[in-house]
Amino acid sequence: MMLAERFDSDLALDTNDVNDLAEGRHGNAFTVLGLHAISNGVVVRTFQPGASAVEVLEGGSGRPLAPLQKIHPAGLFAGRMPERTVPRGRADDAPAHYVLAITWPDGTVTETEDPYSFAPILGDLDLYLLAEGTHLGLSQVLGSHATTLEGVQGVRFAVWAPNAARVSVVGDFNMWDGRRHPMRHRQAAGIWEIFIPRLGPGTRYKYEILARDGTLLPLKADPVAQTAELPPATASVVADPTPFHWSDKAWMDTRAERQSAEAPISIYEVHPGSWMRIHEDGWRSPNWEELGDRLIPYAAEMGFTHLELLPIMEHPFGGSWGYQPLGQFAPTSRFGSPHAFARFVDRCHEAGVGVILDWVPAHFPSDAHGLAQFDGTALYEHADPREGFHHDWNTLIYNFGRSEVSGFLIASALEWLRHFHVDGLRVDAVASMLYRDYSRKSGEWVPNIHGGRENLEAVAFLRRLNEVVANEVPGAVVIAEESTAWPGVTAPVQVGGLGFSFKWNMGWMHDTLKYIGHETIHRRYHHHDMTFGLVYAFSERFILPISHDEVVHGKGSLLGRMPGDQWQRMANMRAYLGFMWGHPGKKLLFMGCEIAQPHEWNHDGEIAWDLLDQPFHRGMQKLVRDLNATYSALPALSVRDTTPDGFSWIIGDDIDNSVFAFFRHAPDAPPVLVVCNMTPVPRHDYRIGVPVGGNWTEAVNTDASDYGGSGIGNLGSVAAEGHESHGQPFSLLLSLPPLSTLFLTPQSA
């Protein structure tokens, strides 16, 4: 449109600038809006679509300075400023001293400082580190932050979108109109930023992005938002900046030793939304406060050292259980605010319980409001679907070779570990990251630069992740869910390893569950499934996982895998858990397994707590509690979990009787003898060699009547005889209960 001649020609803009502002195409609005020097004075320009009039007021006093003229019908206003109040030739980074009074057609007036009068927000060092992908405080510079800038309260926004033609913040505050708040482009790092006065915590927002080809993209949630709307709504929300006051110093000071390879670590894996429903309020999922009231004391009383939560990072689809997250910096609003989650962690630490989070850096969903094609290009993902699309989950794969993406993920990990005092992260689907041909047929994947199948970029990312965590958060652990034989997963990076603290022992889990699922008469033919894990048990620092993956997708419950009638199924499961707690490796058990829930886990349901009215299920719960107590009390069961001198077979070849016996050892501590009878036939007068004489106490008998067993055993203890056996100077003549595991340890002298 042509500008009317009656307007002050010095206030006018180039027609292209005007049209680009009016049509939402302007990629550098800070060059034309706000306060600028002109040839004979100083001008203020503001773009206010739909406004009737705009006046400039003096900041602080509210004294009128000048009315602005409407120089374009789309809503562009401009006017000269009195030189006595606004310095001529003002630099763009000078402080703002004026307020815009905007009159709307209904007569209402909105007052606000001009967002385009503020200096750039991010400094050169921030931009350099962001571009390099090494900014470890990413969440403090990107995203949204309620703050005070140049004496004005508001919210600063910053987002990475290097290939966008224009990025705007939109929300209720500007009628979701992308023309109203286009951002400043910091080209050195591909960052867009703006400070919007008089906004505060709770503000809903998204980014409106115009791609380089002119395509207006679907509104995007903030990748670094610290909180979001309750799904299925998808807007980001400005978080409350009030610092949380922690009271867990005693825990943090001792965390490293509590989580070392020598410590007893027993993890209770939990899906927070379906652990226990709030029956008195419509059978809804609990919030963090209610989980703090119920889950924490339960886990502590059961003797678990840690809770592991399925991913709580914000995710659009609840049926993904959190494993398809889009908010890598935001605790899901399903359970409450970020402060409420911090309080939950604090309460866990007060109760002596650590917190591990499942964390998913392997892939992300393709929802339109998320990271996919974020700025109109494959920014976070690979452009080539042979590298960037995951067929198993219909998700997109992060481009680990891009420094900004790697830095984004590492900063996410640090956010949970530093900001929320989380004690560890379990990295999901590591195998899918390590191999370029993971779950792909020939021709569906791209080899690495050497022609191999290893994903060298993912390897470099994982090594850097573990190095950064070790340096920045001493005492925190990073755990790999890795299902292949990749060497050195828990070996130090300095010697070529990946640097993880622990690795899930998926091979042990598959082999032993296969064994225990066989009818007892057939177990003699599968004896090696129980012993093979000891061939490689000390090649990594292992966690033995009976996780959520083993009780879903038609696999049935842990109890449901056991053969026989109800009594035998319960006895089988008790014996299996006893074997697991005696075996080298830290322990992980999914919720519901501790009470022998007979059906698969349902994320829309809850644990079948009413089963505790039945003796068998109550007995299983008591057994798990006692196994945890024994595990923590006897150093031999944990101190040398990762070294061969912590284990020795005494009987590993009694195939006909399906009996296994082994010792656990620790320095300056009594050994523990673990004996398993995996048939329903009691074995009386079964001789096993032991290294010391005297009485040996039956620390655990999974067949005890308290657990729902038959009560067969050794009356609490048995005296060693001076009869050599199995290369030992003494021996025990034991009664092995049916389908049972015994722990025996010599009494103190």
Side-chain angles (χ1 to χ4, degrees):
M1 292 186 180
M2 297 297 293
L3 299 178
E5 293 183 0
R6 69 177 182 274
F7 294 145
D8 185 338
S9 60
D10 286 332
L11 303 182
L13 288 174
D14 178 88
T15 301
N16 290 333
D17 281 325
V18 174
N19 290 338
D20 286 349
L21 285 171
E23 296 171 14
R25 297 195 309 266
H26 208 295
N28 199 359
F30 276 84
T31 62
V32 293
L33 298 180
L35 188 68
H36 294 276
I38 57 177
S39 60
N40 57 354
V42 177
V43 63
V44 165
R45 301 189 194 96
T46 183
F47 186 60
Q48 302 293 341
S52 300
V54 180
E55 185 176 21
V56 177
L57 311 179
E58 186 176 58
S61 70
R63 181 173 63 86
L65 293 178
L68 301 186
Q69 297 179 0
K70 193 171 190 178
I71 64 173
H72 191 279
L76 182 61
F77 293 81
R80 295 176 181 272
M81 294 295 99
E83 292 188 37
R84 66 180 183 277
T85 56
V86 181
R88 183 183 181 102
R90 173 193 181 275
D92 281 346
D93 59 354
H97 294 293
Y98 65 92
V99 171
L100 300 175
I102 307 162
T103 302
W104 303 101
D106 63 0
T108 59
V109 177
T110 302
E111 292 190 2
T112 181
E113 290 76 14
D114 186 354
Y116 297 93
S117 66
F118 289 85
I121 301 168
L122 300 182
D124 290 341
L125 179 58
D126 285 327
L127 295 175
Y128 175 82
L129 295 175
L130 288 167
E132 194 179 50
T134 58
H135 203 306
L136 301 183
L138 192 78
S139 64
Q140 301 308 305
V141 293
L142 298 186
S144 62
H145 298 273
T147 188
T148 299
L149 187 62
E150 298 179 13
V152 177
Q153 290 186 338
V155 175
R156 57 180 175 88
F157 300 88
V159 64
W160 180 55
N163 303 305
R166 186 263 299 166
V167 181
S168 298
V169 183
V170 296
D172 299 319
F173 54 89
N174 63 10
M175 296 172 280
W176 300 87
D177 184 347
R179 298 174 301 165
R180 296 178 184 273
H181 288 104
M183 304 172 78
R184 174 188 278 118
H185 192 195
R186 308 298 300 277
Q187 293 186 1
I191 303 297
W192 298 77
E193 64 173 20
I194 194 171
F195 174 76
I196 302 181
R198 306 198 184 195
L199 299 185
T203 299
R204 300 190 311 147
Y205 72 98
K206 285 186 177 181
Y207 296 114
E208 184 182 276
I209 300 177
L210 185 70
R212 283 283 171 84
D213 65 2
T215 302
L216 191 63
L217 303 178
L219 295 183
K220 295 289 188 178
D222 190 340
V224 191
Q226 295 177 340
T227 187
E229 284 187 292
L230 181 66
T234 58
S236 302
V237 177
V238 178
D240 181 354
T242 306
F244 181 80
H245 297 291
W246 294 90
S247 59
D248 62 349
K249 185 178 185 303
W251 169 273
M252 299 297 279
D253 287 347
T254 59
R255 182 173 69 177
E257 61 191 77
R258 291 173 182 262
Q259 302 192 147
S260 72
E262 293 76 37
I265 296 177
S266 181
I267 303 166
Y268 188 46
E269 189 189 32
V270 172
H271 177 257
S274 61
W275 179 74
M276 179 181 288
R277 298 279 174 170
I278 307 302
H279 292 242
E280 60 271 26
D281 189 16
W283 213 67
R284 62 170 172 79
S285 293
N287 58 37
W288 289 122
E289 181 179 0
E290 291 157 341
L291 286 164
D293 292 340
R294 305 181 190 198
L295 173 58
I296 295 173
Y298 177 78
E301 194 271 336
M302 286 293 294
F304 289 102
T305 63
H306 289 73
L307 288 171
E308 180 172 322
L309 304 181
L310 272 60
I312 62 158
M313 299 79 195
E314 194 59 84
H315 51 283
F317 176 47
S320 75
W321 315 329
Y323 287 99
Q324 294 191 9
L326 284 176
Q328 290 282 26
F329 293 78
T332 178
S333 55
R334 291 170 174 87
F335 309 123
S337 69
H339 271 62
F341 174 63
R343 176 59 183 147
F344 174 82
V345 175
D346 204 38
R347 292 178 68 181
C348 283
H349 291 169
E350 289 172 357
V353 176
V355 179
I356 298 167
L357 299 183
D358 280 10
W359 181 63
V360 188
H363 60 113
F364 59 90
S366 59
D367 298 60
H369 72 279
L371 301 178
Q373 292 284 309
F374 187 78
D375 63 359
T377 67
L379 190 61
Y380 288 89
E381 70 272 33
H382 291 272
D384 188 336
R386 295 176 300 168
E387 296 181 280
F389 184 74
H390 207 301
H391 295 281
D392 290 356
W393 303 309
N394 291 320
T395 53
L396 301 175
I397 299 169
Y398 285 105
N399 183 352
F400 304 111
R402 183 159 193 166
S403 60
E404 299 97 332
V405 175
S406 171
F408 167 81
L409 291 168
I410 289 173
S412 164
L414 292 178
E415 180 78 359
W416 302 103
L417 296 171
R418 293 196 300 200
H419 183 72
F420 289 108
H421 285 205
V422 165
D423 302 294
L425 299 174
R426 193 221 67 162
V427 182
D428 181 65
V430 170
S432 75
M433 301 168 66
L434 291 175
Y435 299 98
R436 287 176 163 266
D437 64 344
Y438 181 88
S439 195
R440 294 178 186 271
K441 299 176 183 177
S442 177
E444 295 180 346
W445 58 282
V446 179
N448 64 32
I449 58 173
H450 305 297
R453 59 195 287 256
E454 299 81 8
N455 190 328
L456 303 179
E457 295 82 6
V459 170
F461 162 73
L462 292 170
R463 286 173 171 164
R464 181 170 170 243
L465 165 72
N466 289 316
E467 285 185 313
V468 168
V469 169
N471 290 332
E472 296 291 321
V473 200
V477 295
V478 186
I479 302 163
E481 186 216 12
E482 204 284 309
S483 55
T484 74
W486 186 280
V489 172
T490 59
V493 172
Q494 295 82 355
V495 298
L498 296 183
F500 282 95
S501 311
F502 297 99
K503 171 183 171 174
W504 276 18
N505 194 336
M506 311 292 280
W508 173 92
M509 178 268 297
H510 285 297
D511 290 347
T512 59
L513 285 180
K514 183 170 65 174
Y515 174 91
I516 205 69
H518 288 296
E519 293 288 344
T520 55
I521 196 172
H522 299 140
R523 286 179 179 170
R524 65 174 62 193
Y525 306 111
H526 304 278
H527 198 79
H528 65 282
D529 285 333
M530 291 289 269
T531 61
F532 182 66
L534 274 305
V535 173
Y536 59 87
F538 310 106
S539 62
E540 303 278 4
R541 292 188 294 274
F542 280 123
I543 291 174
L544 310 182
I546 301 298
S547 74
H548 65 280
D549 278 333
E550 308 318 310
V551 294
V552 291
H553 301 319
K555 296 179 182 177
S557 67
L558 184 59
L559 179 65
R561 294 170 181 262
M562 307 298 160
D565 58 22
Q566 183 188 26
W567 191 93
Q568 288 197 21
R569 290 167 64 213
M570 286 287 184
N572 264 300
M573 183 168 169
R574 291 193 301 267
Y576 179 76
L577 292 177
F579 172 78
M580 175 180 174
W581 257 254
H583 194 285
K586 311 311 178 186
K587 325 301 174 190
L588 180 141
L589 191 66
F590 185 60
M591 66 181 199
C593 293
E594 82 277 15
I595 66 169
Q597 185 164 282
H599 53 74
E600 279 196 348
W601 166 56
N602 174 12
H603 70 273
D604 290 324
E606 70 169 357
I607 294 176
W609 295 108
D610 57 339
L611 291 174
L612 292 176
D613 293 333
Q614 303 176 28
F616 273 140
H617 296 279
R618 193 165 58 247
M620 191 71 71
Q621 184 190 51
K622 178 171 172 43
L623 171 64
V624 173
R625 182 189 302 117
D626 289 352
L627 284 171
N628 278 333
T630 304
Y631 176 51
S632 293
L634 300 178
L637 293 175
S638 63
V639 169
R640 286 184 172 170
D641 259 338
T642 61
T643 57
D645 56 353
F647 174 92
S648 60
W649 280 112
I650 193 71
I651 299 173
D653 57 355
D654 190 354
I655 294 174
D656 290 337
N657 292 316
S658 296
V659 170
F660 308 84
F662 52 85
F663 285 109
R664 299 298 310 281
H665 307 280
D668 305 318
V672 175
L673 172 63
V674 180
V675 187
C676 304
N677 175 15
M678 290 300 182
T679 71
V681 179
R683 310 288 178 188
H684 296 291
D685 297 329
Y686 193 99
R687 189 174 295 279
I688 297 180
V690 292
V692 296
N695 281 338
W696 283 64
T697 300
E698 206 173 59
V700 171
N701 176 353
T702 66
D703 189 54
S705 55
D706 281 355
Y707 306 142
S710 63
I712 295 175
N714 300 278
L715 300 177
S717 67
V718 60
E721 300 178 356
H723 186 294
E724 292 186 17
S725 184
H726 302 105
Q728 301 293 326
F730 302 91
S731 60
L732 304 176
L733 206 58
L734 297 173
S735 289
L736 305 185
L739 295 170
S740 68
T741 295
L742 304 177
F743 289 8
L744 297 109
T745 189
Q747 291 181 2
S748 301

